[in-house]
Amino acid sequence: MAATEIARQAGEGARSVPLSGHVGFDSMPDQLVNKSVNHGFCFNILCVGETGLGKSTLMDTLFNTKFEGEPTQHNQPGVQLKSNTYELQESNVRLKLTVVNTVGFGDQINKEDSYKSIVEFIDTQFEAYLQEELKIRRTLHSYHDTRIHACLYFIAPTGHSLKSLDLVTMKKLDSKVNIIPIIAKSDAISKSELTKFKIKITSELVSNGVQIYQFPTDDETVAEINSTMNGHLPFAVVGSTEEVKIGNKMVKARQYPWGTVQARWEPVARTPVTTSSTAAASWRRWAFKDTDPDSKPFSLQETYEAKRNEFMGELQKKEEEMRQMFVQRVKEKEAELKEAEKELHEKFDRLKKLHQDEKKKLEDKRKSLDDELNAFKQRKTAAELLQSQAQQAGGSTTLKREKERKN
Ligand code: GTP
Ligand code: MG
């Protein structure tokens, strides 16, 4: 579109000004694409899974190469995060790929703390990026962003259910990374078992509140393919680095005495990755081919929704039950308190009456003592009077006798 045309289409309120010549901002998107191509893309994958589940093989299969990496021994004292960065090039597009492996995951007797070093690793990468962002002189364009774009979580093909280690780890990681659950070595389970296993895993993830990555469906150009991708989750994978001739084509497959199983994947490195920040979105193109042509993806999305609704329903029921129980408890407590209050009132009344009786008794006693006191006082006054009269009488007799003696 010509720049002059853009200027004419400017929104209301903006003044339209004609350009007298070509400025060049019409080729901006091309410049951005070129810049990304020149600098290359950066993509960081975290592979979490027990030792020997086929993590390295799958990475080799996906990227059509042989990354270094020795198998891990099962005697690791703890879980260690090992990060390797590779430069890959296809045509003129360069990809800086970092694969982080969890060495010794699931090998300890006490697996409780297995997730801790993974969480620590993820947080450290976020912290490093933040520090770079906070620098006054930022060099983000040349900074090697080590934040994890996607976490492939390898599930053992037991056909039963998830291990508690899987649930705990995924729960601890789901708020920090995009978790893409993967059923490793899925050639080990039959087709019908796989369907049931996927449903079981999905329902366990939902009922434990584990959030897995959902391919975005809000952009209508990718809505259809992405909802198909979501329907395939958790992806069943078969890894192999061996090339086998099937028909007249060389394909990656695993050969067994009874037949050949083709590796199931679509090479992610060959799909155009956009920018590092949206690298996770490139996974939307990651469709795992089913070797069986007439197998259709059963709708795990629907199962997920149904399970989620069931879970929410149960949650609501539990909430209602708890509310009822709470109301019942409050009522019981209220009755208890009322009873106690009544008893208290009765006790108070009894005490009050007792006090009144006691008071009355004391008053009566006081009255009788007062009466006694008064009577005593009266007697005392009478006695004093008598005494003084007697004294007076005694005095006049003495005078008379004296007079008589004198005479
Ligand atoms: P560590 O790095 O030691 O933890 O192992 P890992 O998870 O990287 O496993 P690796 O890729 O080394 O594979 C272990 C074994 O499993 C190898 O013998 C692989 O050939 C085999 N293997 C890998 N992928 C598959 C698969 O999809 N199906 C089957 N049946 N075997 C597989
Ligand atoms: Mg390995």
Side-chain angles (χ1 to χ4, degrees), residues 1-4 6-7 17-28 31:
M1 192 186 291
T4 38
I6 294 171
V17 282
L19 295 172
S20 48
H22 183 247
V23 179
F25 53 76
D26 55 347
S27 52
M28 278 282 262
Q31 283 173 355

Side-chain angles (χ1 to χ4, degrees), residues 50-57 71-72 185 187 237-239 254 256:
E50 288 173 54
T51 303
L53 266 185
K55 302 180 291 292
S56 305
T57 310
T72 314
K185 301 187 179 180
D187 53 320
V237 300
V238 178
R254 302 186 69 81
Y256 294 106

Side-chain angles (χ1 to χ4, degrees), residues 113-263:
D113 292 343
S114 302
Y115 68 86
K116 280 192 183 154
S117 42
I118 310 176
V119 168
E120 245 168 55
F121 176 86
I122 296 168
D123 287 346
T124 309
Q125 313 319 309
F126 276 123
E127 185 61 31
Y129 186 82
L130 186 71
Q131 288 303 330
E132 185 61 34
E133 246 189 353
L134 291 177
K135 279 186 189 166
I136 296 171
R137 285 173 63 86
R138 283 188 285 178
T139 47
L140 280 174
H141 60 280
S142 60
Y143 172 74
H144 180 204
D145 186 1
T146 51
R147 289 174 303 167
I148 299 296
H149 298 118
C151 162
L152 300 186
Y153 194 95
F154 289 70
I155 298 163
T158 59
H160 287 254
S161 54
L162 287 170
K163 298 180 184 180
S164 53
L165 172 68
D166 299 330
L167 284 170
V168 170
T169 310
M170 282 196 255
K171 185 82 203 121
K172 294 286 176 189
L173 299 184
D174 72 352
S175 57
K176 295 175 187 281
V177 280
N178 297 319
I179 300 178
I180 299 168
I182 276 176
I183 300 170
K185 301 187 179 180
S186 67
D187 53 320
I189 28 180
S190 73
K191 202 175 141 189
S192 60
E193 279 173 342
L194 184 65
T195 310
K196 281 190 203 138
F197 192 36
K198 280 191 174 195
I199 292 170
K200 181 93 180 135
I201 292 171
T202 312
S203 99
E204 281 182 341
L205 290 175
V206 172
S207 46
N208 284 281
V210 178
Q211 279 287 315
I212 58 165
Y213 181 67
Q214 291 291 304
F215 294 89
T217 49
D218 37 11
D219 178 350
E220 63 179 36
T221 52
V222 288
E224 201 182 324
I225 181 152
N226 278 3
S227 55
T228 314
M229 297 296 290
N230 288 331
H232 276 293
L233 282 166
F235 295 135
V237 300
V238 178
S240 173
T241 43
E242 208 181 318
E243 295 264 341
V244 178
K245 194 165 185 183
I246 294 185
N248 52 4
K249 264 195 344 197
M250 290 302 279
V251 290
K252 289 213 160 61
R254 302 186 69 81
Q255 274 185 306
Y256 294 106
W258 58 88
T260 304
V261 181
Q262 200 178 331

Side-chain angles (χ1 to χ4, degrees), residues 234-328:
F235 295 135
V237 300
V238 178
S240 173
T241 43
E242 208 181 318
E243 295 264 341
V244 178
K245 194 165 185 183
I246 294 185
N248 52 4
K249 264 195 344 197
M250 290 302 279
V251 290
K252 289 213 160 61
R254 302 186 69 81
Q255 274 185 306
Y256 294 106
W258 58 88
T260 304
V261 181
Q262 200 178 331
R264 298 202 240 181
W265 85 101
E266 205 169 81
V268 80
R270 291 184 184 179
T271 59
V273 187
T274 46
T275 66
S276 65
S277 59
T278 56
S282 71
W283 287 82
R284 72 184 61 164
R285 295 164 203 271
W286 193 29
F288 280 71
K289 280 181 198 155
D290 233 317
T291 35
D292 183 354
D294 47 53
S295 77
K296 290 190 189 71
F298 62 95
S299 179
L300 260 179
Q301 183 72 21
E302 273 169 29
T303 317
Y304 179 86
E305 286 297 324
K307 263 281 153 199
R308 193 171 175 278
N309 289 343
E310 192 186 306
F311 176 66
M312 293 313 273
E314 264 173 34
L315 205 73
Q316 254 173 11
K317 215 171 103 193
K318 281 226 175 88
E319 216 174 84
E320 182 58 25
E321 271 171 21
M322 276 173 78
R323 210 176 60 80
Q324 298 267 353
M325 209 152 83
F326 179 73
V327 170
Q328 180 68 19

